């Protein structure tokens, strides 16, 4: 038995992406910057992929720039925005629940003299719009907020936050890390009201090694990766054309969002129903979280113990962000959770390929394991 329930860390590749990558690696392997036929063929494949990903994001192809990863795109968005706006101020507003690819650049900027305001979250992980309003001032140059938290699945009100920022008269740029929301929720930048938005291939059954950054048309974001000027200078370096083509194929293969959401809500409800028989299980994700993510704790059983036990049974889950391996969750700490729950937290994350049978296999194994370790 193998049951994979760690899709927030990465997803298995879908067949269209695998097939497209194989074609690129064997038949269309040229450098897309080369002017001969092999290069032009690769360049055409990249153009097709850009059109597919842009359609899935909901933006113009010329607003979409391929990057080596979501992390690289987040870094470029933050450092580029700061370089562009630093003459107007030094305040950056974010939340206390961001991914390390946002947190770490902000820590660096903070050590360099920028003022970082981290909006607190309540016990369910929600950010107060009134706190955002209070934090905005004339020196604010950037607001960066994730769409969906990768550990507990809370959904941030990006469109409402953007409207508030615009109505305040602030000139701040707005960046959204939409990596966990892309392919699950509508991420159309115009509707969200953002200037910059990050997505990644390997969260939507595409390959690792390809991300993308939306940059609003007319916004000239400075690059911080210098070199040959690929991606209109924003991400220099020879493009990973197989990964990019796979990204395009995965984006084109995304199913209808509403149908998929209904499927995931049913899967989540089934899991919670199965687990409700145990008084030892505490659900850490809010009730209105993205249904793809369920964070739970069995206080008294360390995460590592439970994850290793499940793994021995062929069931794969995680303790939280794969980027914080071996460290206590900053997200669960930020929402005021006690240490016993944090240290026993387990994240289950679904994909459109998750079945009821997968959920039953996990629930059976978890329920059987609890009395084994709680003595």
């Amino acid at each position: 038995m193998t049951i994979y329930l760690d899709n927030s860390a990465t997803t298995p590749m879908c067949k269209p992406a695998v097939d497209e990558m194989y074609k690129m690696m064997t038949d269309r392997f040229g450098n897309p910057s080369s002017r001969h036929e092999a290069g032009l063929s690769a360049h055409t494949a990249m153009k097709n992929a850009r059109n597919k990903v842009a359609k899935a994001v909901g933006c113009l192809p010329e607003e979409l720039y391929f990057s080596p990863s979501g992390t690289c795109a987040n870094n470029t968005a933050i450092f580029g925005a700061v370089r562009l706006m630093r003459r107007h101020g030094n305040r950056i507003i974010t939340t206390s629940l961001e991914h390390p690819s946002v947190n770490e650049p902000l820590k660096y900027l903070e050590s360099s003299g920028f003022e970082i305001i981290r909006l607190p979250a309540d016990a369910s992980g929600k950010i107060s719009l009134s706190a955002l309003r209070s934090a905005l001032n004339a020196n604010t140059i950037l607001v960066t907020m994730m769409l969906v938290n990768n550990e507990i699945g809370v959904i941030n009100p990006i469109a409402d936050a953007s409207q508030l920022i615009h109505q305040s008269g602030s000139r701040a740029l707005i960046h959204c890390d939409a990596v966990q929301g892309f392919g699950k929720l509508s991420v159309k930048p115009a509707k969200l009201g953002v200037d910059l938005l990050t997505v990644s291939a390997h969260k939507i059954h595409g390959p690792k090694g390809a991300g993308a950054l939306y940059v609003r048309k007319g916004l000239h974001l400075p690059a911080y990766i210098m070199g040959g000027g690929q991606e209109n200078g924003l991400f220099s370096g020879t493009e990973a054309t197989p990964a990019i083509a796979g990204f395009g194929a995965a984006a084109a293969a995304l199913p209808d969002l509403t149908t998929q959401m209904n499927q995931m809500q049913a899967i989540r409800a089934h899991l919670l129903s199965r687990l409700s028989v145990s008084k030892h299980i505490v659900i850490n994700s809010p009730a209105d979280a993205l249904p793809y993510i369920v964070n739970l704790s069995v206080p008294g059983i360390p995460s590592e113990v439970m994850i290793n036990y499940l793994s021995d049974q062929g069931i794969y889950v995680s303790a939280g962000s794969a980027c914080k391996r071996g460290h206590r969750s900053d997200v669960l700490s930020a929402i005021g959770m006690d240490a016993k729950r944090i240290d026993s937290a387990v994240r289950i994350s679904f994909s459109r390929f998750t079945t009821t049978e997968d959920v039953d296999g996990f629930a059976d194994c978890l329920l059987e394991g609890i009395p084994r370790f709680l003595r």
Side-chain angles (χ1 to χ4, degrees):
M1 176 179 66
T2 297
I3 298 174
Y4 184 78
L5 296 173
D6 196 18
N7 291 279
S8 286
T10 197
T11 54
M13 285 181 59
C14 62
K15 189 175 186 303
V18 173
D19 291 345
E20 190 65 25
M21 289 186 71
Y22 180 80
K23 185 190 304 180
M24 292 299 298
M25 288 186 285
T26 56
D27 297 336
R28 309 180 79 174
F29 53 82
N31 187 321
S33 296
S34 297
R35 306 314 301 166
H36 48 61
E37 183 57 36
L40 294 174
S41 176
H43 179 80
T44 298
M46 274 193 58
K47 180 179 179 181
N48 291 338
R50 196 182 312 276
N51 289 338
K52 292 172 184 176
V53 178
K55 182 178 180 181
V57 170
C59 67
L60 298 172
E62 57 266 32
E63 294 177 307
L64 192 84
Y65 299 83
F66 287 120
S67 67
S69 65
T71 290
C72 186
N74 277 342
N75 274 252
T76 296
I78 291 168
F79 289 123
V82 166
R83 285 185 60 197
L84 184 64
M85 300 293 292
R86 60 186 172 189
R87 68 183 183 277
H88 300 299
N90 74 334
R91 174 174 284 200
I92 300 170
I93 299 174
T94 188
T95 79
S96 55
L97 306 181
E98 297 299 311
H99 188 269
S101 61
V102 168
N103 273 333
E104 294 305 316
L106 294 182
K107 288 179 184 177
Y108 172 82
L109 290 170
E110 191 169 32
S111 70
S112 302
F114 285 85
E115 181 186 18
I116 311 298
I117 305 297
R118 296 175 176 85
L119 302 177
D122 64 18
S124 65
K126 292 185 171 56
I127 303 299
S128 164
L129 289 177
S130 62
L132 171 60
R133 183 183 295 109
S134 298
L136 287 166
N137 66 13
N139 290 322
T140 306
I141 58 174
L142 174 66
V143 177
T144 176
M145 299 174 65
M146 66 188 348
L147 178 59
V148 174
N149 182 265
N150 54 301
E151 292 192 42
I152 59 175
V154 67
I155 303 171
N156 278 324
I158 302 299
D160 292 339
S162 297
Q163 184 178 27
L164 187 158
I165 294 164
H166 292 139
Q167 289 176 347
S168 75
S170 173
R171 68 176 79 206
L173 295 178
I174 305 171
H175 167 246
C176 177
D177 173 0
V179 166
Q180 287 294 339
F182 180 48
K184 305 172 183 72
L185 300 170
S186 173
V187 299
K188 292 181 179 178
K191 287 190 175 181
L192 292 178
V194 300
D195 303 290
L196 301 158
L197 182 136
T198 303
V199 296
S200 182
H202 76 107
K203 307 296 189 182
I204 63 162
H205 304 283
K208 300 169 185 66
L213 178 64
Y214 158 83
V215 180
R216 175 178 51 78
K217 189 174 182 179
L219 179 64
H220 302 292
L221 195 71
Y224 88 106
I225 299 174
M226 308 298 173
Q230 288 86 352
E231 292 301 288
N232 283 341
L234 198 56
F235 294 103
S236 285
T238 301
E239 300 93 339
T241 47
I244 288 170
F247 192 0
L254 286 170
D256 175 73
L257 294 182
T258 301
T259 302
Q260 193 175 331
M261 182 63 73
N262 291 337
Q263 175 189 342
M264 289 303 106
Q265 287 172 337
I267 289 284
R268 183 181 192 271
H270 182 73
L271 174 63
L272 296 184
S273 175
R274 287 294 318 276
L275 300 184
S276 65
V277 301
S278 173
K279 64 181 181 180
H280 300 291
I281 299 172
V282 182
I283 304 301
N284 300 324
S285 294
D288 58 353
L290 187 77
Y292 289 77
I293 299 173
V294 176
N295 193 300
L296 60 85
S297 293
V298 184
I301 304 179
S303 304
E304 186 175 0
V305 171
M306 182 57 75
I307 289 168
N308 288 340
Y309 162 71
L310 292 169
S311 182
D312 288 343
Q313 315 305 312
I315 301 173
Y316 305 126
V317 300
S318 72
S321 173
C323 298
K324 293 290 285 184
R325 185 178 181 180
H327 300 278
R328 179 172 284 172
S329 167
D330 292 333
V331 169
L332 299 183
S333 297
I335 63 176
M337 194 168 291
D338 66 74
K340 198 169 185 180
R341 275 177 68 179
I342 294 174
D343 291 342
S344 61
V346 174
R347 181 187 67 184
I348 301 95
S349 48
F350 311 128
S351 81
R352 67 178 185 267
F353 299 118
T354 302
T355 65
T356 302
E357 289 73 23
D358 292 333
V359 168
D360 282 334
F362 164 75
D364 289 343
C365 198
L366 179 68
L367 293 170
E368 290 170 7
I370 289 174
R372 179 179 304 187
F373 299 111
L374 283 182
R375 297 183 183 276

